[in-house]
Amino acid sequence: MEAAAASLLPPAWKVLILVLLLLTAGSLSLRASADGVRYDYRAYTECKPNPEPALYNGGVLRWASKITDFRTEDEGNYSPAFVLYNMSAAIAYSFSCWVKIEGPASAYVKAKILTLENAASQCIGNALVRNDCWSFLKGGFALNSSSQTSVLYFQTASPNASTISIRSASLQPFSPDEWNQHRQDRIQLIRKRFVNVHVSNSNGSRVAGAKVAVHQITRDFPFGSAISKNIIGNKPYQDWFTKRFNVAVFENELKWYATEPSPGKEDYTYADQLLQFVQSNDVMARGHNIFWEDPRYTPAWVKNLTGPQLRAAVAGRIESLLSRYKGDFVHWDVSNEMLHFDFYEDRLGSNATAEFFATAKRADPLATLFLNDFNVVEACDDLSSSADAYVAQLRRLADGGVTFEGIGLEGHFGKPNIPYVRAVLDKLGTLRLPVWLTEVDIGSSLGQRAQAEYLEEVLREGFAHPAVDGIVLWTAMGANATCYQMCLTDANFTNLPAGDVVDRLLEEWQTREVVGDTNDRGSFNFSAFLGEYKLVVTYQNLTSEGTFSLARSDDTKHINVRLAGPVVV
């Protein structure tokens, strides 16, 4: 969030805002609507000749006052702005609009909210905007404190962008109960499924009053954590981990600097041991990572290579890693943080990453290949990793022949802007690719209680969003019970507040057991989370047992159980 001077607005605009405030009939309240508006997950990544209609018919912006030439003292060019009144800190605001610029072929545009009481502005959304078509900007925000008067405005850092045009702008407020209800509705739709167990006797007649017991064996949704070599031989740590998680990623043990610290001297000892641990406990593993574009984490000996030597080294890296672990890792982060860094492409040419993907796919065709980066959902102000920047990178690589399979979002949060997170996921979800939150944690400077509070919000948002296919926490415990930013337990594996959040959500997101009796039509109906189940049906002295799977589908799962022997109906 930006700090602004007390004289942030020119005096003339301060007067204008006061006049607009007085002219507004009463005070225009931007509290949550009482009409039960459902959240609109629509988003667009393509630039269109004409803008689509406004979401929510414009929401509260239908009544907002508009300024035609807004300016502040921070850097950038500005555009029309909306004056907003009586905004509550308890409300989640979803914002969207269509944007076009005059001047350069393209430029990034930010939407920002300025609260006049504390002269502070916050980025609430961004888009890569062109001069020949309309681009969709979607974002959102929740204020830190309620505001009597605020301004929603648009900014571009391009000095050549003379005009920002806005169409179909919308701002829709949602109360906490409404926002949470959206999550519950989506969870029922995408993480659960209705089941109808129909019981009949050997003659095919319906059996009323049969006892049905259903017990979940495994969970379908991948939810896990990073682990490190510290878990090897550490039975309490292993027991704590396997009781909770069904997916793991190795914190550092597969990175190039760890497996080949000097040329030709490979050491996969720790990686092998970690893989043996997860496989023996039926935990799936993500491969992280093949290449890391940040030069700080590139092996020192690799930094000194150029041309054919560097090409030979990277080819050897892929061949060694993926031939050793072919079929062992469900995913590979092929290129890590390439939205921010370009070590390999700078030295090997712009097609280097496309070649990495092609080589990796040939080496391990069963693995899903990912890009992975930070600040995509964490920070609206980091335009290097905006949703549009991610999409642009995917399209550039697709032009180089890459068939993309997965989007990795690291998720290293400070205080999360949850409405913005949802908006970014909406936009990336339009690509119809698996989206994973791959390294979720909350900054240590916030303290354990705040870490737990914010972690719960992020996890609930991710689990409920239809675009998200898996979540991995970045909570590997290292030496002396230390973690990168956030630990889930202490050294004795007693939960810290964040660990309590994880346990509570894991309990909430599974169907431990469902029991009941068939009705007069011989049916027993229930809703359960996706996964594998054991089913036991008993009636008098007859028992039938079996297993079934619940996979994602809009259809009710129908299970027919035939009880052998005579049954009295």
Side-chain angles (χ1 to χ4, degrees), residues 60-374:
V60 297
L61 291 187
R62 285 173 285 178
W63 305 289
S65 304
K66 193 173 182 179
I67 300 174
T68 57
D69 190 20
F70 183 75
R71 295 286 189 273
T72 71
E73 289 184 354
D74 56 344
E75 296 180 358
N77 298 320
Y78 301 86
S79 73
F82 298 94
V83 183
L84 309 169
Y85 306 107
N86 299 327
M87 303 184 74
S88 171
I91 301 302
Y93 295 92
S94 178
F95 174 74
S96 62
C97 67
W98 290 85
V99 192
K100 190 176 183 180
I101 59 171
E102 292 183 11
S106 65
Y108 280 100
V109 172
K110 296 179 185 178
K112 306 181 83 171
I113 189 76
L114 170 69
T115 56
L116 299 190
E117 287 84 356
N118 55 14
S121 64
Q122 175 186 356
C123 178
I124 64 172
N126 55 62
L128 180 58
V129 179
R130 290 164 47 179
N131 64 10
D132 60 343
C133 55
W134 292 90
S135 301
F136 188 64
L137 187 156
K138 191 173 191 182
F141 62 96
L143 296 177
N144 290 325
S145 59
S146 297
S147 171
Q148 189 173 19
T149 308
S150 302
V151 180
L152 195 162
Y153 66 101
F154 304 88
Q155 174 187 28
T156 175
S158 173
N160 300 319
S162 58
T163 302
I164 303 173
S165 298
I166 305 297
R167 296 290 185 273
S168 302
S170 172
L171 184 67
Q172 181 63 41
F174 295 103
S175 70
D177 287 344
E178 288 175 320
W179 196 264
N180 289 329
Q181 188 59 52
H182 303 158
R183 290 172 174 167
Q184 292 305 314
D185 292 345
R186 284 288 156 170
I187 287 173
Q188 177 61 60
L189 184 66
I190 65 174
R191 309 295 182 209
K192 302 180 76 176
R193 191 172 173 186
F194 287 103
V195 182
N196 178 29
V197 178
H198 182 79
V199 181
S200 61
N201 61 19
S202 58
N203 298 321
S205 300
R206 301 166 181 167
V207 177
K211 303 291 184 183
V212 178
V214 178
H215 178 77
Q216 188 168 11
I217 302 170
T218 63
R219 291 174 284 115
D220 177 78
F221 186 81
F223 185 77
S225 172
I227 55 175
S228 71
K229 60 186 179 183
N230 191 57
I231 203 171
I232 298 170
N234 189 334
K235 189 65 164 56
Y237 189 2
Q238 292 177 357
D239 291 343
W240 186 91
F241 182 92
T242 56
K243 182 180 178 181
R244 291 161 174 80
F245 300 125
N246 58 8
V247 61
V249 65
F250 307 166
E251 186 178 39
N252 298 310
E253 286 76 8
L254 278 173
K255 292 169 182 172
W256 198 358
Y257 64 74
T259 62
E260 194 177 4
S262 58
K265 296 184 178 181
E266 296 177 333
D267 185 356
Y268 290 101
T269 302
Y270 289 129
D272 288 348
Q273 291 175 337
L274 288 174
L275 182 62
Q276 193 278 329
F277 161 68
V278 298
Q279 289 181 336
S280 65
N281 287 280
D282 297 323
V283 174
M284 74 170 68
R286 297 192 75 250
H288 177 78
N289 51 54
I290 300 178
F291 296 109
W292 196 344
E293 292 285 348
D294 188 341
R296 292 175 298 174
Y297 304 107
T298 302
W301 62 272
V302 174
K303 295 180 187 179
N304 299 323
L305 304 179
T306 58
Q309 289 181 322
L310 181 57
R311 289 188 181 279
V314 299
R317 161 68 172 172
I318 298 178
E319 172 61 26
S320 171
L321 189 65
L322 271 67
S323 63
R324 185 182 190 89
Y325 297 118
K326 182 176 181 179
D328 288 326
F329 291 90
V330 65
H331 300 162
W332 279 107
D333 291 330
V334 177
S335 187
N336 197 49
E337 300 179 356
M338 74 172 303
L339 297 178
H340 292 88
F341 309 101
D342 63 349
F343 175 84
Y344 295 99
E345 293 205 343
D346 179 58
R347 289 157 179 79
L348 297 176
S350 59
N351 201 43
T353 304
E355 294 173 0
F356 296 165
F357 272 86
T359 305
K361 178 52 66 176
R362 288 193 299 269
D364 191 351
L366 298 181
T368 303
L369 305 183
F370 276 68
L371 283 181
N372 190 54
D373 224 303
F374 64 91

